[in-house]
Amino acid sequence: MTLTDSIASKIFNKACLSRAFEEELFQRVSKKEVKIPVYMSAGQEYISATLAVFLEQLSRAEKQIFIQHRGHSTYLSFGGSAEKLIYEILGDKRGCSGGMGGSASIQCRENNIFGHDGMMGSHGPISVGACYGNKKFTLCFAGDAAAEEDYFLAAIAWASTKKLPIWFIVEDNNLSILTEKRVRRCWEMQDVAKSFKMKAFDSSDDPHELWPVLEQCSIEEPLLLNVKTNRLFWHAGAGIDSDETPDLHESWLRKNGKERFERERRKIKTVWESCLKHLEKQ
Ligand SMILES: Cc1ncc(C[n+]2csc(CCOP(=O)(O)OP(=O)(O)O)c2C)c(N)n1
Ligand SMILES: [Mg+2]
């Protein structure tokens, strides 16, 4: 199952949806229509887009997914409703977490996506416990800082010992809020996982590099993937730390044209406006 043009096109579709969502959200946060803290995944969307398409190709329907605060693109790539995410961000009860979780704690019960409680890395042991209990294929998405937590590391070790069908996907944007990895540690996640006798890889988020890595992995076995990526916007809120951050989506737009992306943008804008209209009527 190589990364054909038709597979790349599916990855691009998902990435366009996620980026369109985040760009619209950025505008609405800037205009103060959204007042809660939001954790945007712009720049990182090709990770979940690639993972989701890869698992769709395997026809792996049954899975459970644990995410943390920067999870909009994971939620959307794995089938979460954009409308429910908007309602959530607007604090409405029609939101994916009943309007009480906000951007950081989104979930999608229909698709087995479990939201986060806010304590960094807590979902490591929770996802391992769930997988240990029900043996369902499990994906645990974590940031490079969350994955450093002692309980997260111990959870990886247990998953390896018990040979659980769980994949840890570390979205390595090199940052814990604004603290770079080199200040925080002198080791890499894939090396730690390997020392626990777990299969582990380091890759960039470029689907052309990530896909061949995924082809070497089995959903029957534990795995850790450290995927290097770039966070385009501030840790929380609508702002830009640096204009020089590389943007993978730009190169995909150059190759595929802007039409599909523009279509997603129009769709997302329409959904936002319809959510706001429903709220005004109340
Ligand atoms: C146990 C704990 N320590 C600190 C925090 C404060 N905090 C929230 S997000 C964050 C950085 C998270 O970095 P990472 O896991 O790499 O995810 P990213 O924001 O880069 O996507 C920190 C330090 C917290 N929520 N929980
Ligand atoms: Mg990080």
Side-chain angles (χ1 to χ4, degrees):
M1 190 174 58
T2 48
L3 180 51
T4 58
D5 286 349
S6 105
I7 291 175
S9 171
K10 288 181 185 164
I11 294 173
F12 182 58
N13 281 346
K14 285 187 188 287
C16 284
L17 164 66
S18 295
R19 181 61 68 93
F21 188 93
E22 300 296 44
E23 288 195 354
E24 185 67 24
L25 179 57
F26 189 101
Q27 298 304 325
R28 294 187 184 266
V29 174
S30 305
K31 286 191 269 177
K32 305 215 179 334
E33 274 178 36
V34 172
K35 296 185 184 75
I36 61 162
V38 293
Y39 302 88
M40 285 183 264
S41 52
Q44 306 191 175
E45 55 278 273
Y46 281 82
I47 302 177
S48 46
T50 308
L51 260 299
V53 171
F54 182 80
L55 293 168
E56 279 166 21
Q57 299 294 312
L58 290 183
S59 309
R60 184 71 192 189
E62 227 203 346
K63 57 183 154 327
Q64 52 196 358
I65 305 173
F66 293 80
I67 61 177
Q68 64 173 47
H69 56 277
R70 205 171 305 291
H72 299 172
S73 59
T74 313
Y75 168 95
L76 293 168
S77 290
F78 284 93
S81 144
E83 185 184 38
K84 286 188 181 178
L85 180 50
I86 293 168
Y87 276 129
E88 185 59 37
I89 288 168
L90 293 169
D92 186 76
K93 60 180 185 308
R94 281 164 285 195
C96 57
S97 303
M100 290 184 286
S103 159
S105 302
I106 55 176
Q107 60 176 355
C108 174
R109 292 171 81 167
E110 305 82 359
N111 293 346
N112 278 344
I113 302 175
F114 296 93
H116 193 226
D117 55 36
M119 185 171 121
M120 271 169 51
S122 62
H123 62 311
I126 293 170
S127 61
V128 170
C131 183
Y132 186 46
N134 62 22
K135 303 292 184 288
K136 274 190 204 163
F137 175 61
T138 304
L139 282 168
C140 175
F141 286 86
D144 51 298
E148 286 167 10
E149 297 289 0
D150 51 355
Y151 35 88
F152 199 100
L153 298 175
I156 294 174
W158 182 249
S160 179
T161 301
K162 291 294 166 186
K163 300 189 172 38
L164 300 180
I166 182 167
W167 286 8
F168 299 95
I169 313 297
V170 180
E171 300 191 318
D172 180 358
N173 60 16
N174 189 38
L175 293 170
S176 175
I177 305 185
L178 282 172
T179 309
E180 289 185 39
K181 227 167 52 177
R182 66 187 163 82
V183 181
R184 300 169 356 230
R185 53 168 146 115
C186 61
W187 45 270
E188 292 294 339
M189 279 306 300
Q190 67 276 11
D191 297 330
V192 172
K194 282 181 197 163
S195 76
F196 287 144
K197 314 277 181 240
M198 184 181 284
K199 198 167 185 175
F201 296 93
D202 184 45
S203 170
S204 82
D205 55 0
D206 183 336
H208 292 289
E209 188 181 332
L210 188 51
W211 192 270
V213 171
L214 293 173
E215 286 180 312
Q216 299 171 54
C217 305
S218 157
I219 53 170
E220 314 291 337
E221 291 174 354
L223 167 80
L224 184 138
L225 283 182
N226 189 79
V227 190
K228 292 197 211 73
T229 188
N230 295 295
R231 186 189 82 201
L232 281 190
F233 303 150
W234 280 348
H235 168 69
I240 293 169
D241 290 312
S242 160
D243 288 333
E244 279 157 36
T245 309
D247 183 5
L248 181 59
H249 189 54
E250 285 297 328
S251 62
W252 280 63
L253 284 177
R254 274 197 296 279
K255 187 159 182 265
N256 296 281
K258 290 199 166 165
E259 204 181 304
R260 257 185 283 174
F261 183 43
E262 293 302 337
R263 201 166 55 223
E264 289 303 330
R265 279 172 130 168
R266 285 193 296 274
K267 270 200 243 165
I268 289 293
K269 196 183 224 9
T270 310
V271 184
W272 262 101
E273 278 159 13
S274 118
C275 291
L276 287 173
K277 238 181 234 149
H278 280 112
L279 286 173
E280 272 167 24
K281 275 193 213 148
Q282 284 173 355

